[in-house]
Amino acid sequence: VQLQASGGGWVQTGGSLRLSCAASGRTFSSSVMSWFRQTPGKEREFLAALVWGSSTYYENSVKGRFTISSDNAKNTVYLQMNSLKPEDTAVYYCATSRTWTVRERDYDYWGQGTQVTVSS
């Protein structure tokens, strides 16, 4: 299984970015695909999940602003991020698990991370 995250960058407050996670070796219908983020000195924080290729779940702080989706033909999961705030600045990771969980330690494969910086 390999995950390749991309799409991070710099954006002003209120702006938008779309992150991509190209996956190989795992089908979305039989897995959980999630996005996490991490800031220096803190643990990775769960943001959003696509469960079994259909159901979506969001952490409260991003609900209504972030949207997780997939393109099965491209085997890619996306995280559309709108109304970005400076506190959204972090390294963003995609990850996959065989079980539905928000716990970082239960995810067995991770992408390499992509930096998102939101300026005020």
Side-chain angles (χ1 to χ4, degrees):
V1 177
Q2 290 188 328
L3 304 178
Q4 181 75 28
S6 62
W10 178 90
V11 66
Q12 290 186 323
T13 297
S16 299
L17 282 174
R18 188 179 78 160
L19 306 182
S20 300
C21 178
S24 61
R26 185 160 284 180
T27 57
F28 298 156
S29 61
S30 61
S31 64
V32 176
M33 301 295 299
S34 293
W35 288 94
F36 290 75
R37 67 186 177 192
Q38 187 173 29
T39 54
K42 294 188 177 181
E43 294 184 354
R44 288 181 187 178
E45 172 191 20
F46 169 82
L47 299 175
L50 178 66
V51 182
W52 320 132
S54 57
S55 300
T56 57
Y57 295 89
Y58 298 92
E59 196 272 332
N60 285 337
S61 69
V62 304
K63 196 175 295 184
R65 299 191 299 126
F66 292 9
T67 303
I68 190 169
S69 63
S70 66
D71 183 332
N72 292 339
K74 296 182 178 180
N75 225 40
T76 299
V77 175
Y78 302 99
L79 185 68
Q80 177 67 43
M81 305 186 296
N82 299 327
S83 302
L84 284 163
K85 308 173 183 179
E87 51 264 43
D88 294 318
T89 295
V91 178
Y92 284 68
Y93 297 89
C94 58
T96 185
S97 171
R98 286 293 195 186
T99 59
W100 167 219
T101 175
V102 300
R103 298 188 303 187
E104 173 189 355
R105 65 175 181 267
D106 293 329
Y107 284 77
D108 47 359
Y109 295 96
W110 292 81
Q112 82 283 13
T114 183
Q115 175 72 45
V116 171
T117 302
V118 184
S119 67
S120 57

